[in-house]
Amino acid sequence: MNHPEHYDTTTNILERPSFVGSVETDDITTESATFTHTDPLQEDSGPPKMDSEKEILHEKVTKQIIKEGRGQTPTKYATCFLHYRAWVEKTLHKFEDTWQEQRPIELIIGKEKKQMTGLGIGVASMKSGERSLLDVGWELGYGEEGSFSFPNVPPSANLIYEVELIGFDEVKEGKARSDMTVEERIGTADRRKMDGNTLFKNEKLEEAMQQYEMAIAYMGDDFMFQLFGKYRDMALGVKNPCHLNLAACLIKLKRYEEAIGHCSIVLAEDEKNVKALFRRGKARSELGQTDAAREDFEKAKKTAPQDTAITRELRLIAEHEKAVYQKQKELYKGIFGPRPEPSPRRQRWHALVWQWLVAIISRLFNFRRQKAD
């Protein structure tokens, strides 16, 4: 679906999408990254190895903190938004990863599914922004039968979770999402987005990202699937800017692969979204994916031909490729060098002697013939 206009990434004001690289006071830009961040989340290397002491939360649940959070812990019936990876303890087979899908999940403390009881106990002990490693006994996981949805989770399998609590809404703060009207749900997500923008401007990237992810959680696939017409456009007007702002934060944090993922989600809905193309191009360029980056910038330029930031990025790619070509040219020149000129062969002494003898014999033969004549 193509939209001729898009909501501004930091306000509710409609904006034309042709100024993604220009300096605007109300827009989130991606230049001048001066922030630090912990190491990016590892995807396929197994659970993090921790030396810290395990905290016993339950007879079958222990916790080790990877990154400290802040504030209070959620109370019973609080709606929590989180990311997690899950492994079978014995085989270290990873069977679920919400980070990979880039969509946080919702868990209501005290109302979680039976197989998530152990996870719920762990989450209830966490603060917003905290990331922890949980060891959960099979009794509070998938039980004696194992998992039908995840065949690699066998019967009586102990589990390991790496969990990050993005944030939570207490019951007293408002309705549960399931009880909200469409307008209320979109409005709540929009407030989260606005809170994220304020945190971003104060250079609190981690906290800003949490607000954007919580806003996106209100716009889950099950919810978006039910929307049509103006309601779907209203929801996308909140959801897409959150993905784009997350991409801006991730580029500043040098987490380029994740930034590419968020931009691609937006482009799946709006293939000509200039900001999504521009930011994905930036991330790809940083990863050295120059062909893919150029393709994104050229697509963006078709929609925003006057945008100076896009022109600058295309020029930088061209200059980089020219410099690489010159470097390779010099390298190959140094390896092979110029073609050597052929040098005359040095004649051996016996060949010279043989030529001298032939010349003498030839003269003697000619002298005798002349004398006989």
Side-chain angles (χ1 to χ4, degrees), residues 126-206:
M126 298 172 66
K127 300 175 181 179
S128 293
E130 179 181 324
R131 192 186 310 156
S132 291
L133 197 66
L134 304 178
D135 290 319
V136 176
W138 62 266
E139 298 89 343
L140 301 181
Y142 288 92
E144 290 182 298
E145 296 181 356
S147 173
F148 177 78
S149 301
F150 303 107
N152 288 307
V153 180
S156 304
N158 294 334
L159 306 175
I160 300 173
Y161 288 97
E162 180 185 0
V163 187
E164 181 173 2
L165 178 59
I166 299 166
F168 57 89
D169 286 335
E170 293 289 1
V171 177
K172 62 183 179 182
E173 293 183 1
K175 298 179 181 178
R177 288 193 305 172
S178 57
D179 297 329
M180 290 180 176
T181 65
V182 171
E183 292 89 344
E184 287 174 333
R185 196 157 168 172
I186 294 173
T188 302
D190 191 52
R191 286 192 294 274
R192 289 285 185 184
K193 184 196 75 173
M194 298 294 288
D195 291 342
N197 294 341
T198 300
L199 291 165
F200 182 94
K201 289 175 182 178
N202 292 327
E203 301 185 358
K204 296 179 179 179
L205 290 192
E206 292 283 359

Coordinates of all heavy atoms in Angstrom, one line a residue, residues 126-206:
M126 N 11.5 -8.8 37.4 CA 12.4 -7.9 36.6 C 11.9 -6.5 36.6 O 10.7 -6.2 36.8 CB 12.5 -8.4 35.2 CG 13.1 -9.8 35.1 SD 13.0 -10.6 33.4 CE 14.1 -9.5 32.5
K127 N 12.8 -5.6 36.4 CA 12.5 -4.1 36.2 C 12.6 -3.8 34.7 O 13.2 -4.5 33.9 CB 13.5 -3.3 37.0 CG 13.6 -3.6 38.5 CD 14.6 -2.8 39.2 CE 14.7 -3.1 40.6 NZ 15.8 -2.3 41.3
S128 N 11.9 -2.7 34.4 CA 11.9 -2.2 33.0 C 13.4 -2.0 32.5 O 14.2 -1.4 33.1 CB 11.2 -0.9 32.8 OG 9.8 -1.1 33.1
G129 N 13.7 -2.6 31.3 CA 15.0 -2.5 30.7 C 15.9 -3.6 31.2 O 17.0 -3.7 30.6
E130 N 15.5 -4.4 32.1 CA 16.4 -5.5 32.6 C 16.4 -6.6 31.6 O 15.5 -7.0 31.0 CB 15.9 -6.0 34.0 CG 16.7 -7.1 34.6 CD 16.1 -7.6 35.9 OE1 15.6 -6.8 36.7 OE2 16.2 -8.8 36.2
R131 N 17.6 -7.2 31.5 CA 17.8 -8.4 30.7 C 18.4 -9.5 31.6 O 19.4 -9.2 32.3 CB 18.7 -8.2 29.5 CG 18.7 -9.3 28.5 CD 19.7 -9.1 27.4 NE 19.6 -7.8 26.8 CZ 20.6 -7.2 26.2 NH1 21.8 -7.8 26.1 NH2 20.4 -6.0 25.7
S132 N 17.8 -10.7 31.7 CA 18.2 -11.7 32.6 C 18.2 -13.1 31.9 O 17.5 -13.3 30.9 CB 17.3 -11.7 33.8 OG 17.5 -10.6 34.6
L133 N 18.9 -14.0 32.6 CA 18.9 -15.4 32.1 C 18.1 -16.2 33.1 O 18.4 -16.2 34.3 CB 20.4 -15.9 32.0 CG 20.6 -17.2 31.2 CD1 20.4 -16.9 29.8 CD2 22.1 -17.6 31.4
L134 N 17.1 -17.0 32.7 CA 16.3 -17.8 33.5 C 16.5 -19.2 33.3 O 16.5 -19.7 32.1 CB 14.8 -17.4 33.3 CG 14.4 -16.0 33.5 CD1 12.9 -15.8 33.2 CD2 14.7 -15.5 34.9
D135 N 16.6 -20.0 34.3 CA 16.6 -21.5 34.3 C 15.3 -21.9 34.8 O 14.9 -21.7 36.0 CB 17.8 -22.1 35.1 CG 19.1 -21.8 34.4 OD1 19.2 -21.9 33.2 OD2 20.1 -21.5 35.2
V136 N 14.5 -22.6 34.0 CA 13.1 -23.0 34.4 C 13.0 -24.6 34.3 O 13.3 -25.2 33.2 CB 12.1 -22.4 33.4 CG1 10.7 -22.9 33.7 CG2 12.2 -20.9 33.5
G137 N 12.6 -25.2 35.4 CA 12.3 -26.6 35.4 C 11.2 -27.0 34.5 O 10.3 -26.2 34.3
W138 N 11.2 -28.3 34.1 CA 10.2 -28.7 33.1 C 8.8 -28.6 33.7 O 7.8 -28.5 32.9 CB 10.5 -30.1 32.7 CG 10.5 -31.2 33.8 CD1 11.6 -31.6 34.5 CD2 9.4 -31.9 34.2 NE1 11.2 -32.6 35.4 CE2 9.8 -32.8 35.2 CE3 8.0 -31.9 33.9 CZ2 9.0 -33.7 35.9 CZ3 7.2 -32.8 34.6 CH2 7.6 -33.7 35.6
E139 N 8.7 -28.7 35.0 CA 7.3 -28.7 35.6 C 6.6 -27.3 35.4 O 5.4 -27.3 35.3 CB 7.5 -28.9 37.1 CG 8.0 -30.3 37.5 CD 9.5 -30.3 37.7 OE1 10.2 -29.3 37.1 OE2 10.1 -31.2 38.3
L140 N 7.4 -26.3 35.2 CA 6.8 -24.9 34.9 C 7.0 -24.5 33.5 O 6.9 -23.3 33.1 CB 7.5 -23.9 35.9 CG 7.3 -24.2 37.4 CD1 7.9 -23.1 38.2 CD2 5.8 -24.3 37.7
G141 N 7.4 -25.5 32.7 CA 7.5 -25.3 31.2 C 6.5 -26.1 30.4 O 5.3 -26.0 30.7
Y142 N 7.0 -26.9 29.5 CA 6.1 -27.7 28.7 C 5.7 -29.1 29.3 O 5.1 -29.9 28.6 CB 6.7 -27.9 27.3 CG 6.7 -26.6 26.5 CD1 7.8 -25.7 26.6 CD2 5.6 -26.2 25.8 CE1 7.8 -24.5 25.9 CE2 5.6 -25.0 25.1 CZ 6.7 -24.1 25.1 OH 6.6 -22.9 24.4
G143 N 6.1 -29.3 30.5 CA 5.7 -30.5 31.2 C 6.2 -31.8 30.7 O 7.2 -31.9 30.0
E144 N 5.5 -32.9 31.2 CA 5.9 -34.2 30.8 C 5.7 -34.6 29.4 O 6.4 -35.5 28.8 CB 5.1 -35.2 31.7 CG 5.5 -35.2 33.2 CD 4.7 -36.3 33.9 OE1 3.4 -36.2 34.0 OE2 5.3 -37.2 34.5
E145 N 4.8 -33.9 28.7 CA 4.5 -34.2 27.3 C 5.4 -33.5 26.3 O 5.4 -33.9 25.1 CB 3.0 -33.9 27.0 CG 2.1 -34.8 27.9 CD 0.6 -34.5 27.5 OE1 0.4 -33.6 26.7 OE2 -0.3 -35.1 28.1
G146 N 6.0 -32.4 26.7 CA 6.8 -31.7 25.7 C 5.9 -30.7 25.0 O 4.8 -30.5 25.4
S147 N 6.4 -30.2 23.8 CA 5.6 -29.2 23.1 C 5.2 -29.8 21.7 O 6.0 -30.4 21.0 CB 6.5 -28.0 22.8 OG 5.8 -27.1 22.0
F148 N 3.9 -29.6 21.4 CA 3.4 -30.0 20.1 C 3.9 -28.9 19.1 O 4.2 -29.2 17.9 CB 1.9 -30.1 20.1 CG 1.3 -30.4 18.8 CD1 1.4 -31.7 18.3 CD2 0.7 -29.4 18.0 CE1 0.8 -32.0 17.0 CE2 0.2 -29.7 16.8 CZ 0.2 -31.0 16.3
S149 N 3.8 -27.6 19.5 CA 4.2 -26.5 18.6 C 5.7 -26.5 18.2 O 6.1 -26.1 17.2 CB 3.8 -25.2 19.2 OG 2.4 -25.1 19.4
F150 N 6.5 -26.9 19.2 CA 7.9 -27.0 19.0 C 8.4 -28.4 19.2 O 8.7 -28.8 20.3 CB 8.6 -26.0 20.0 CG 8.2 -24.6 20.0 CD1 7.4 -24.1 21.0 CD2 8.5 -23.8 18.9 CE1 6.9 -22.8 20.9 CE2 8.1 -22.5 18.8 CZ 7.3 -22.0 19.8
P151 N 8.5 -29.2 18.1 CA 8.8 -30.6 18.3 C 10.2 -30.8 18.9 O 10.4 -31.9 19.4 CB 8.8 -31.1 16.8 CG 7.9 -30.1 16.1 CD 8.1 -28.8 16.8
N152 N 11.1 -29.9 18.8 CA 12.4 -30.1 19.4 C 12.4 -29.9 20.9 O 13.5 -30.0 21.5 CB 13.4 -29.1 18.7 CG 13.7 -29.5 17.3 OD1 14.1 -30.6 17.0 ND2 13.5 -28.5 16.4
V153 N 11.3 -29.6 21.5 CA 11.2 -29.5 23.0 C 10.6 -30.9 23.4 O 9.4 -31.1 23.3 CB 10.3 -28.4 23.4 CG1 10.2 -28.4 25.0 CG2 10.8 -27.0 22.9
P154 N 11.5 -31.8 23.9 CA 11.0 -33.1 24.3 C 10.3 -33.1 25.6 O 10.2 -32.1 26.3 CB 12.4 -33.9 24.4 CG 13.3 -32.9 24.8 CD 12.9 -31.6 24.1
P155 N 9.7 -34.3 26.0 CA 9.1 -34.4 27.3 C 10.1 -34.1 28.4 O 11.2 -34.4 28.3 CB 8.6 -35.8 27.3 CG 8.4 -36.2 25.9 CD 9.5 -35.5 25.2
S156 N 9.5 -33.5 29.5 CA 10.3 -33.2 30.7 C 11.6 -32.5 30.4 O 12.7 -32.8 30.9 CB 10.6 -34.6 31.4 OG 9.4 -35.3 31.7
A157 N 11.5 -31.5 29.6 CA 12.7 -30.7 29.2 C 12.8 -29.4 30.0 O 11.9 -28.6 30.1 CB 12.6 -30.3 27.7
N158 N 13.9 -29.3 30.7 CA 14.2 -28.0 31.4 C 14.6 -27.0 30.4 O 15.1 -27.3 29.3 CB 15.4 -28.2 32.4 CG 15.1 -29.1 33.5 OD1 13.9 -29.3 33.9 ND2 16.1 -29.7 34.1
L159 N 14.3 -25.7 30.6 CA 14.4 -24.7 29.7 C 15.3 -23.5 30.2 O 15.5 -23.4 31.4 CB 13.0 -24.0 29.3 CG 11.9 -25.0 28.9 CD1 10.6 -24.3 28.7 CD2 12.3 -25.7 27.6
I160 N 15.9 -22.8 29.2 CA 16.7 -21.6 29.5 C 16.1 -20.5 28.7 O 15.8 -20.6 27.5 CB 18.2 -21.8 29.1 CG1 18.8 -23.0 29.9 CG2 19.0 -20.5 29.3 CD1 20.2 -23.3 29.4
Y161 N 15.9 -19.3 29.3 CA 15.3 -18.2 28.7 C 16.3 -17.0 28.8 O 16.8 -16.8 29.9 CB 14.0 -17.7 29.3 CG 12.8 -18.6 29.0 CD1 12.4 -19.6 29.9 CD2 12.1 -18.4 27.8 CE1 11.3 -20.3 29.7 CE2 11.0 -19.2 27.6 CZ 10.6 -20.2 28.5 OH 9.5 -20.9 28.2
E162 N 16.6 -16.3 27.8 CA 17.2 -15.0 27.8 C 16.1 -14.0 27.6 O 15.5 -13.9 26.5 CB 18.3 -14.8 26.8 CG 18.9 -13.4 26.8 CD 19.9 -13.2 25.7 OE1 20.1 -14.1 24.8 OE2 20.5 -12.1 25.6
V163 N 15.8 -13.2 28.6 CA 14.6 -12.3 28.6 C 15.0 -10.9 28.8 O 15.8 -10.5 29.6 CB 13.6 -12.7 29.7 CG1 12.3 -11.9 29.6 CG2 13.3 -14.2 29.7
E164 N 14.3 -10.0 28.0 CA 14.4 -8.5 28.3 C 13.0 -8.0 28.5 O 12.1 -8.1 27.6 CB 15.1 -7.8 27.1 CG 15.2 -6.3 27.4 CD 16.1 -5.6 26.3 OE1 16.5 -6.2 25.3 OE2 16.2 -4.4 26.5
L165 N 12.8 -7.4 29.6 CA 11.5 -6.7 29.9 C 11.6 -5.3 29.3 O 12.3 -4.4 29.9 CB 11.2 -6.7 31.4 CG 9.9 -6.0 31.9 CD1 8.7 -6.7 31.2 CD2 9.8 -6.0 33.4
I166 N 10.8 -5.1 28.3 CA 10.8 -3.8 27.6 C 10.1 -2.7 28.5 O 10.6 -1.6 28.7 CB 10.1 -3.8 26.3 CG1 10.8 -4.8 25.3 CG2 10.0 -2.5 25.6 CD1 10.0 -5.2 24.1
G167 N 9.0 -3.1 29.1 CA 8.2 -2.3 30.0 C 6.9 -3.0 30.4 O 6.7 -4.1 29.9
F168 N 6.1 -2.3 31.1 CA 4.8 -2.9 31.5 C 3.8 -1.8 31.8 O 4.2 -0.6 32.2 CB 5.0 -3.8 32.7 CG 5.6 -3.2 33.9 CD1 4.8 -2.6 34.9 CD2 7.0 -3.2 34.1 CE1 5.3 -2.0 36.0 CE2 7.5 -2.6 35.3 CZ 6.7 -2.0 36.2
D169 N 2.5 -2.1 31.7 CA 1.4 -1.3 32.1 C 0.7 -1.9 33.3 O 0.3 -3.1 33.2 CB 0.4 -1.1 31.0 CG 1.0 -0.2 29.8 OD1 1.8 0.6 30.1 OD2 0.5 -0.4 28.7
E170 N 0.6 -1.2 34.4 CA -0.1 -1.7 35.5 C -1.6 -1.6 35.2 O -2.1 -0.8 34.4 CB 0.2 -0.8 36.8 CG 1.7 -1.0 37.3 CD 1.9 -2.4 37.9 OE1 1.0 -3.2 37.9 OE2 3.0 -2.6 38.3
V171 N -2.4 -2.5 35.9 CA -3.8 -2.5 35.7 C -4.5 -1.2 36.0 O -5.3 -0.7 35.3 CB -4.5 -3.6 36.5 CG1 -6.0 -3.6 36.4 CG2 -3.9 -5.0 36.2
K172 N -4.0 -0.5 37.0 CA -4.6 0.8 37.4 C -4.3 1.9 36.4 O -5.0 2.9 36.5 CB -4.0 1.2 38.8 CG -2.5 1.4 38.8 CD -2.0 1.8 40.2 CE -0.5 2.0 40.2 NZ 0.0 2.3 41.6
E173 N -3.4 1.7 35.5 CA -3.1 2.8 34.5 C -4.1 2.8 33.4 O -4.1 3.8 32.7 CB -1.7 2.5 34.0 CG -0.6 2.7 35.0 CD 0.8 2.6 34.4 OE1 0.9 2.3 33.2 OE2 1.8 2.7 35.1
G174 N -4.9 1.8 33.3 CA -5.9 1.8 32.2 C -6.4 0.4 31.9 O -6.1 -0.5 32.6
K175 N -7.1 0.3 30.8 CA -7.7 -1.0 30.4 C -6.6 -1.9 29.9 O -5.6 -1.5 29.4 CB -8.7 -0.7 29.3 CG -9.9 0.1 29.7 CD -10.9 0.3 28.6 CE -12.1 1.1 28.9 NZ -13.0 1.3 27.7
A176 N -6.9 -3.2 29.9 CA -6.1 -4.2 29.2 C -6.3 -4.0 27.7 O -7.4 -3.5 27.3 CB -6.5 -5.6 29.7
R177 N -5.4 -4.4 26.9 CA -5.5 -4.2 25.5 C -6.7 -4.8 24.9 O -7.4 -4.3 24.0 CB -4.2 -4.7 24.8 CG -3.0 -3.8 25.0 CD -1.9 -4.2 24.0 NE -1.6 -5.6 24.1 CZ -0.8 -6.2 23.2 NH1 -0.2 -5.5 22.3 NH2 -0.5 -7.5 23.3
S178 N -7.0 -6.0 25.4 CA -8.2 -6.8 24.9 C -9.5 -6.0 25.2 O -10.5 -6.3 24.5 CB -8.2 -8.2 25.5 OG -8.2 -8.1 27.0
D179 N -9.5 -5.1 26.2 CA -10.7 -4.4 26.5 C -10.8 -3.0 25.8 O -11.8 -2.3 26.0 CB -10.9 -4.2 28.0 CG -11.0 -5.6 28.7 OD1 -11.5 -6.5 28.1 OD2 -10.5 -5.7 29.9
M180 N -9.8 -2.7 25.1 CA -9.8 -1.3 24.4 C -10.5 -1.3 23.1 O -10.5 -2.3 22.4 CB -8.3 -0.9 24.2 CG -7.5 -0.6 25.5 SD -5.8 -0.1 25.0 CE -5.2 0.4 26.6
T181 N -11.1 -0.2 22.8 CA -11.6 0.0 21.4 C -10.4 0.3 20.5 O -9.2 0.5 21.0 CB -12.5 1.2 21.4 OG1 -11.7 2.4 21.7 CG2 -13.6 1.1 22.3
V182 N -10.6 0.3 19.2 CA -9.5 0.5 18.2 C -8.9 1.9 18.5 O -7.7 2.0 18.5 CB -10.1 0.4 16.8 CG1 -9.0 0.9 15.8 CG2 -10.5 -1.0 16.5
E183 N -9.7 2.9 18.7 CA -9.2 4.2 18.9 C -8.4 4.3 20.1 O -7.3 5.0 20.2 CB -10.4 5.2 18.9 CG -11.1 5.5 17.6 CD -12.3 4.5 17.5 OE1 -12.3 3.5 18.2 OE2 -13.1 4.7 16.6
E184 N -8.8 3.7 21.2 CA -8.1 3.7 22.5 C -6.7 3.0 22.3 O -5.7 3.5 22.8 CB -8.9 3.0 23.6 CG -10.1 3.8 24.0 CD -11.0 3.0 25.0 OE1 -11.0 1.8 25.0 OE2 -11.6 3.7 25.9
R185 N -6.7 1.9 21.6 CA -5.5 1.2 21.4 C -4.5 2.0 20.6 O -3.3 2.1 20.9 CB -5.8 -0.1 20.8 CG -4.7 -1.2 20.9 CD -5.3 -2.6 20.7 NE -4.2 -3.6 20.5 CZ -4.5 -4.9 20.5 NH1 -5.7 -5.3 20.7 NH2 -3.5 -5.7 20.4
I186 N -4.9 2.6 19.5 CA -4.1 3.4 18.7 C -3.6 4.6 19.5 O -2.4 5.0 19.4 CB -4.8 3.8 17.4 CG1 -5.1 2.6 16.5 CG2 -3.9 4.8 16.6 CD1 -5.9 2.9 15.3
G187 N -4.5 5.2 20.2 CA -4.2 6.4 21.0 C -3.1 6.1 22.1 O -2.2 6.9 22.3
T188 N -3.2 4.9 22.7 CA -2.3 4.5 23.8 C -0.9 4.3 23.1 O 0.1 4.7 23.6 CB -2.7 3.3 24.5 OG1 -4.0 3.5 25.1 CG2 -1.7 2.8 25.5
A189 N -0.9 3.7 22.0 CA 0.4 3.4 21.2 C 1.0 4.8 20.8 O 2.2 4.9 20.9 CB 0.1 2.6 20.0
D190 N 0.2 5.7 20.4 CA 0.7 7.0 20.0 C 1.3 7.7 21.2 O 2.4 8.4 21.0 CB -0.4 7.8 19.4 CG 0.1 9.1 18.7 OD1 1.0 9.0 17.9 OD2 -0.4 10.2 19.0
R191 N 0.7 7.6 22.3 CA 1.3 8.3 23.5 C 2.7 7.7 23.9 O 3.6 8.4 24.3 CB 0.4 8.2 24.7 CG -0.8 9.1 24.6 CD -1.6 9.2 25.9 NE -2.2 7.9 26.3 CZ -3.4 7.6 25.9 NH1 -4.1 8.3 25.1 NH2 -3.9 6.4 26.3
R192 N 2.8 6.4 23.7 CA 4.1 5.7 23.9 C 5.1 6.2 22.9 O 6.3 6.5 23.3 CB 3.9 4.2 23.7 CG 3.1 3.5 24.8 CD 4.0 3.4 26.1 NE 3.3 2.6 27.1 CZ 3.8 2.4 28.3 NH1 5.0 2.9 28.6 NH2 3.1 1.7 29.2
K193 N 4.7 6.4 21.7 CA 5.6 6.9 20.6 C 6.1 8.3 21.0 O 7.2 8.6 20.9 CB 4.9 7.0 19.3 CG 5.8 7.4 18.1 CD 4.9 7.8 16.9 CE 4.3 9.2 17.1 NZ 3.6 9.7 15.9
M194 N 5.1 9.2 21.5 CA 5.5 10.5 21.9 C 6.5 10.5 23.0 O 7.4 11.3 23.1 CB 4.2 11.3 22.2 CG 3.3 11.5 21.0 SD 3.9 12.5 19.7 CE 3.9 14.1 20.5
D195 N 6.2 9.6 24.0 CA 7.2 9.5 25.1 C 8.6 9.1 24.6 O 9.6 9.6 25.1 CB 6.7 8.5 26.1 CG 5.4 9.0 26.9 OD1 5.1 10.2 26.9 OD2 4.7 8.1 27.5
G196 N 8.6 8.2 23.7 CA 9.8 7.8 23.1 C 10.6 8.9 22.4 O 11.8 9.0 22.5
N197 N 9.8 9.8 21.7 CA 10.5 10.9 21.0 C 11.1 11.9 22.0 O 12.2 12.4 21.8 CB 9.4 11.6 20.2 CG 8.9 10.8 19.0 OD1 9.6 9.8 18.6 ND2 7.8 11.1 18.5
T198 N 10.4 12.1 23.1 CA 11.0 13.0 24.2 C 12.3 12.4 24.7 O 13.3 13.1 24.9 CB 10.0 13.1 25.3 OG1 8.8 13.7 24.8 CG2 10.5 14.1 26.4
L199 N 12.3 11.1 25.0 CA 13.5 10.4 25.5 C 14.6 10.4 24.5 O 15.8 10.6 24.8 CB 13.1 8.9 25.9 CG 12.2 8.8 27.1 CD1 11.7 7.3 27.1 CD2 13.0 9.1 28.4
F200 N 14.3 10.3 23.2 CA 15.3 10.3 22.1 C 15.9 11.7 22.1 O 17.2 11.8 22.0 CB 14.6 10.1 20.8 CG 15.6 10.1 19.7 CD1 16.2 8.9 19.2 CD2 16.0 11.2 19.0 CE1 17.1 8.9 18.2 CE2 16.9 11.2 18.0 CZ 17.4 10.1 17.6
K201 N 15.1 12.8 22.2 CA 15.7 14.1 22.2 C 16.6 14.4 23.4 O 17.5 15.2 23.3 CB 14.6 15.1 22.1 CG 13.8 15.1 20.8 CD 12.6 16.1 20.8 CE 11.9 16.0 19.4 NZ 10.7 16.9 19.4
N202 N 16.4 13.7 24.5 CA 17.2 13.8 25.7 C 18.4 12.8 25.6 O 19.0 12.6 26.6 CB 16.4 13.6 26.9 CG 15.4 14.7 27.2 OD1 15.7 15.9 26.8 ND2 14.2 14.4 27.7
E203 N 18.6 12.2 24.5 CA 19.7 11.2 24.2 C 19.6 10.0 25.1 O 20.6 9.4 25.4 CB 21.0 11.9 24.4 CG 21.2 13.1 23.4 CD 22.6 13.7 23.5 OE1 23.4 13.2 24.4 OE2 22.9 14.6 22.8
K204 N 18.4 9.6 25.5 CA 18.2 8.4 26.2 C 17.6 7.3 25.3 O 16.5 7.0 25.3 CB 17.2 8.6 27.4 CG 17.7 9.6 28.4 CD 16.7 9.8 29.5 CE 17.2 10.8 30.5 NZ 16.2 11.1 31.6
L205 N 18.6 6.8 24.5 CA 18.2 5.9 23.4 C 17.6 4.6 23.9 O 16.6 4.1 23.3 CB 19.4 5.6 22.5 CG 19.9 6.7 21.7 CD1 20.9 6.1 20.7 CD2 18.8 7.4 20.9
E206 N 18.1 4.0 24.9 CA 17.6 2.7 25.4 C 16.2 2.9 25.8 O 15.3 2.0 25.5 CB 18.5 2.2 26.6 CG 19.9 1.8 26.2 CD 19.9 0.4 25.5 OE1 18.8 -0.2 25.4 OE2 21.0 0.0 25.1

